[in-house]
Amino acid sequence: MQVLAQAQRLPKVTNKLEVALFLMPAPVQEQGERPYFPYNLLFVESESRMVVSTEVLAPLPSLEAMWARVPLTVVQKLLEIGVMPQEIDVSSPQLQHLLGTLQPDLGFQVKRKRRLPALDQARRAMERFMRQM
């Protein structure tokens, strides 16, 4: 996989990222299609609490197909960020498993944590903003 080879060449940093995939609170409807609730894949740098990337994912054609796209999407986002973190913290066992498949090739640690304070703060701010729209 070419993107994996590119990601292996990213500079390694000691930063930690907090990553979550969660259901967005507002439905989306494409022209002539049924509405659906998209998911947001959110990346927040732990120490600065800065959102470094986000990606909206559609659970189409199925939720399982969306989950299968997550590892490649994470690699693409790391390429956009431009560095390889030392650690990626997640709270979901499913996300821990999916990112764990990348661990041997990319060298970061995936740790499951009960709380992701930086990510939770960013998510609350995002949800407040969406309610105001």
Side-chain angles (χ1 to χ4, degrees):
M1 185 182 329
Q2 186 179 1
V3 293
L4 197 55
Q6 291 173 331
Q8 288 171 332
R9 292 190 295 272
L10 287 172
K12 307 236 184 301
V13 294
T14 59
N15 300 54
K16 294 180 186 179
L17 290 180
E18 296 179 11
V19 178
L21 181 66
F22 55 90
L23 196 60
M24 305 250 323
V28 171
Q29 185 171 10
E30 309 286 333
Q31 181 91 19
E33 299 290 326
R34 293 182 59 187
Y36 63 88
F37 284 89
Y39 284 75
N40 188 1
L41 185 62
L42 184 61
F43 297 74
V44 179
E45 199 280 326
S46 295
E47 192 173 318
S48 69
R49 297 185 175 231
M50 185 174 90
V51 173
V52 293
S53 191
T54 186
E55 181 76 17
V56 176
L57 300 174
L60 302 173
S62 67
L63 190 56
E64 291 78 16
M66 180 198 74
W67 278 104
R69 291 189 304 269
V70 167
L72 177 58
T73 303
V74 168
V75 173
Q76 291 168 332
K77 290 298 174 179
L78 291 172
L79 287 170
E80 288 175 18
I81 295 167
V83 294
M84 186 61 61
Q86 175 179 323
E87 181 178 310
I88 296 180
D89 296 336
V90 299
S91 61
S92 152
Q94 193 164 14
L95 199 52
Q96 180 185 24
H97 170 72
L98 289 170
L99 298 188
T101 64
L102 299 171
Q103 200 171 327
D105 293 318
L106 298 182
F108 56 75
Q109 292 183 346
V110 179
K111 292 189 178 176
R112 186 165 162 223
K113 302 218 170 158
R114 177 173 281 151
R115 292 191 63 249
L116 302 173
L119 193 131
D120 292 341
Q121 180 182 8
R123 183 176 173 178
R124 282 192 304 273
M126 189 180 271
E127 288 170 350
R128 275 194 308 271
F129 176 77
M130 290 184 77
R131 280 193 296 269
Q132 292 175 354
M133 293 179 75

